[in-house]
Amino acid sequence: MKNLYNETLKSLEKHLVGAGFKAFNARQVFNWIYRHKETDFDKMLNLSIKLRAYLKGTFCLEQLELFHKQVASDQTKKYLFKLADDHLIEAVLMQHDYGKSLCVTTQVGCNIGCSFCASGLEKKVRNLTVAEMVMQIVGVEAVEAERVSHIVIMGTGEPFDNYDNVMGFIDIANCPHGFEIGARHITVSTSGIVPKIDAFAERKTQVNLAISLHAPNDQVRSKLMKINDVYPIDALLDSVRRYVDKTNRRVTFEYILLSGVNDQISHANALSDKIRGINAYVNLIRYNPVLEFHYRPSKEDDAQAFHQQLLKRGINATLRKERGSDIDAACGQLRTKVKNKGNTL
Ligand code: SAH
Ligand code: SF4
């Protein structure tokens, strides 16, 4: 049986038309599952009995099992979901004044293996399906009885290493008959898979693109991110320039401040020279320490000085407040902890 949450509106239309139904039936089904959150085909009363029987015989609407939930002092909530094959994935819900933003996981483990990231501690086991990403929103909205208004695709995994499924997921999140989350309220973050940045540019959507840069040059970046040996910083920045040219959208550069590694004034100067002229802003991130690694977050004075130096040199930059560190909110941390204890808490 296929999981109905795997279908985009287009693929469901095609499927239903192929089975002798009408294209508008797909919109009706989407309204039931995403607007009314209905999981029982028998209750979709405006569908013909024949269509309901067909859906029941062809599709299921399985849900993820909520394995654990943690709430931080700032109301950041972390959910650990169990997949059908027992793998655990996490999603994090952040409370903002503009709404609720869900950080979605795209893979079990991550092959990029950045040297500071808990998610990279385990090699990729497999990609998540479209349904497994969709069900993270469905699951959180069901637990909280509230609407998720923003999506950040920044949980465990490299979204552009699971490109087609992530694009299917974005289609459903954005679809007016689906979750109806505006494209500008969706952000996808990549470690810098150049061919996929080019493919993403071709889609010409309003979805936000964030690039995990974390360094001003190849020497520092290759130490932090092995992917830099495949797509060095200049090739990456060229693809970002092409993306901005094609889409007219501003990109975000993610930059984790690591004490003594990439947080000195010389790094700020090198960074500003490197990215000058690109329509972008730099999001300076405080590092959430990971037990297994020796990296430490920058001292507050260094973080402030780095931020000020970028501003002084005409680079747009923000220094975020830390979120949810008391609940292991950094990507992959809760999951790693649970796994190390043999899937118990
Ligand atoms: N794989 C994608 C998206 C998931 S990671 C990527 O790398 O962009 C999302 C963001 O969290 C990335 O910018 C990543 O560098 C950052 N991150 C990972 N571990 C972190 C930690 N311990 N503290 C703070 N940010 C972290
Ligand atoms: Fe993977 Fe992103 Fe973590 Fe790097 S930072 S290991 S790409 S999840």
Side-chain angles (χ1 to χ4, degrees):
M1 221 168 277
K2 300 179 182 182
N3 192 325
L4 188 52
Y5 293 125
N6 270 317
E7 304 294 329
T8 62
L9 185 62
K10 267 214 178 89
S11 70
L12 187 61
E13 278 174 356
K14 211 170 141 202
H15 183 107
L16 291 183
V17 168
F21 298 97
K22 298 276 185 270
F24 80 88
N25 290 141
R27 291 197 289 279
Q28 291 178 309
V29 173
F30 256 52
N31 283 334
W32 276 115
I33 62 178
Y34 294 116
R35 292 263 173 97
H36 300 287
K37 318 288 178 201
E38 188 53 72
T39 55
D40 181 352
F41 293 117
D42 286 328
K43 292 195 178 141
M44 302 182 181
L45 291 174
N46 63 347
L47 308 184
S48 68
I49 293 175
K50 195 171 150 212
L51 176 54
R52 272 182 264 161
Y54 178 78
L55 292 171
K56 260 167 88 171
T58 314
F59 294 108
C60 61
L61 279 165
E62 257 168 38
Q63 311 289 310
L64 296 176
E65 179 190 332
L66 181 60
F67 182 77
H68 187 69
K69 176 182 162 183
Q70 270 179 287
V71 184
S73 45
D74 66 356
Q75 288 307 304
T76 297
K77 298 183 177 96
K78 183 148 195 161
Y79 312 83
L80 206 52
F81 289 112
K82 196 183 249 187
L83 303 176
D85 59 2
D86 282 350
H87 288 300
L88 295 170
I89 55 162
E90 57 192 50
V92 179
L93 187 67
M94 289 156 290
Q95 183 86 49
H96 298 288
D97 42 11
Y98 52 78
K100 288 194 160 54
S101 166
L102 185 68
C103 178
V104 171
T105 280
T106 57
Q107 298 179 318
V108 179
C110 181
N111 265 351
I112 309 296
C114 301
S115 65
F116 52 83
C117 175
S119 299
L121 281 169
E122 190 186 4
K123 281 221 157 288
K124 179 174 93 175
V125 177
R126 66 176 178 84
N127 285 329
L128 294 196
T129 62
V130 173
E132 286 166 334
M133 290 180 261
V134 166
M135 287 188 292
Q136 293 173 52
I137 310 182
V138 173
V140 168
E141 286 189 338
V143 175
E144 304 301 330
E146 271 181 302
R147 178 172 184 264
V148 168
S149 59
H150 294 66
I151 298 286
V152 290
I153 306 178
M154 291 194 185
T156 301
E158 168 47 53
F160 283 1
D161 181 37
N162 183 14
Y163 186 80
D164 292 343
N165 288 351
V166 168
M167 294 306 122
F169 166 67
I170 289 175
D171 282 350
I172 295 170
N174 181 226
C175 175
H177 301 277
F179 291 104
E180 211 186 348
I181 298 172
R184 285 170 183 256
H185 290 182
I186 301 173
T187 301
V188 59
S189 175
T190 178
S191 58
I193 317 277
V194 166
K196 294 296 192 267
I197 294 173
D198 285 328
F200 190 65
E202 291 301 330
R203 287 173 58 97
K204 295 199 177 73
T205 63
Q206 301 290 306
V207 171
N208 305 304
L209 178 64
I211 306 285
S212 293
L213 196 59
H214 305 325
N217 57 43
D218 283 329
Q219 201 199 352
V220 178
R221 194 164 191 269
S222 284
K223 275 198 199 126
L224 298 174
M225 309 174 76
K226 281 184 311 208
I227 189 77
N228 194 69
D229 294 340
V230 185
Y231 304 113
I233 197 159
D234 286 339
L236 172 59
L237 293 179
D238 281 346
S239 76
V240 172
R241 287 188 191 93
R242 291 193 292 275
Y243 171 86
V244 172
D245 277 351
K246 279 238 159 71
T247 62
N248 253 325
R249 300 281 292 145
R250 188 169 74 157
V251 297
T252 305
F253 288 120
E254 307 278 350
Y255 196 103
I256 302 177
L257 289 166
L258 299 166
S259 185
V261 175
N262 64 356
D263 68 341
Q264 300 303 299
I265 293 298
S266 59
H267 297 122
N269 291 340
L271 178 66
S272 47
D273 290 343
K274 204 71 175 165
I275 64 173
R276 191 175 307 289
I278 302 179
N279 183 13
Y281 85 95
V282 178
N283 190 13
L284 297 171
I285 305 171
R286 294 171 197 278
Y287 184 55
N288 244 315
V290 178
L291 208 59
E292 287 82 351
F293 305 133
H294 62 277
Y295 296 111
R296 290 290 156 254
S298 294
K299 297 188 187 79
E300 188 57 31
D301 285 355
D302 288 342
Q304 299 283 354
F306 193 97
H307 183 206
Q308 290 308 317
Q309 186 68 9
L310 290 184
L311 297 179
K312 210 166 20 174
R313 296 184 119 232
I315 301 294
N316 287 319
T318 52
L319 180 59
R320 288 202 288 202
K321 276 197 299 189
E322 202 179 16
R323 282 196 157 266
S325 58
D326 53 336
I327 57 161
D328 318 297
C331 93
Q333 286 186 21
L334 177 62
R335 189 175 142 266
T336 314
K337 199 186 261 182
V338 173
K339 261 192 90 87
N340 290 344
K341 288 193 193 163
N343 276 13
T344 55
L345 276 166

